[in-house]
Amino acid sequence: QVQLVESGGGLAQAGGSLRLSCAVSGSIGRIYDMAWYRQAPEKQRELVATITSAGSTNYADSVKDRFTISRDNAKNTVYLQMNSLNPEDTAVYYCKADLRTWYRGRFDLWGQGTQVTVSS
């Protein structure tokens, strides 16, 4: 069975930094795109950043130049380095992997979410 395990959330002050990690474990055939989403209270889940298996990235305008997504394909892990945090970044952050397994084919797998809280 495949699962995503996220870590690195917590409390930061405005202007501070946090680094999120998301590791894929289990019987994996291939991992395609990976992404980070976030959901603030009473708001819809929104895309934060994506990264392809080749390393191409895209960012939401609200985080561009502050957040950096990266991945280590050897470790099946994606990271989100968050700098210059502000209170509007407070949300539950979710990792998503587009992957293929021998028993299920290709599908999207979501992590359980990790809370990021930024105080002013």
Side-chain angles (χ1 to χ4, degrees):
Q1 189 170 354
V2 181
Q3 62 176 352
L4 294 179
V5 178
E6 300 164 358
S7 60
L11 178 64
Q13 291 188 333
S17 299
L18 285 172
R19 189 189 193 211
L20 306 182
S21 299
C22 171
V24 184
S25 63
S27 182
I28 305 161
R30 181 176 175 180
I31 303 174
Y32 300 93
D33 294 357
M34 301 186 79
W36 288 96
Y37 288 73
R38 67 185 181 186
Q39 187 166 17
E42 301 182 358
K43 291 188 176 181
Q44 289 190 334
R45 189 172 296 187
E46 64 174 355
L47 178 64
V48 175
T50 63
I51 186 166
T52 68
S53 57
S56 296
T57 59
N58 274 295
Y59 298 90
D61 288 342
S62 59
V63 306
K64 205 170 290 184
D65 299 327
R66 299 189 299 122
F67 290 9
T68 301
I69 188 171
S70 61
R71 65 192 282 174
D72 184 335
N73 291 331
K75 296 181 179 179
N76 293 332
T77 299
V78 64
Y79 306 95
L80 186 67
Q81 178 66 44
M82 304 184 293
N83 299 328
S84 302
L85 286 163
N86 59 63
E88 288 71 39
D89 296 316
T90 295
V92 178
Y93 283 71
Y94 296 90
C95 173
K96 188 187 79 169
D98 173 9
L99 53 84
R100 179 183 296 277
T101 65
W102 66 268
Y103 61 90
R104 187 174 167 180
R106 186 168 178 173
F107 64 101
D108 288 335
L109 183 66
W110 289 85
Q112 79 283 2
T114 184
Q115 176 70 48
V116 171
T117 302
V118 183
S119 62
S120 58

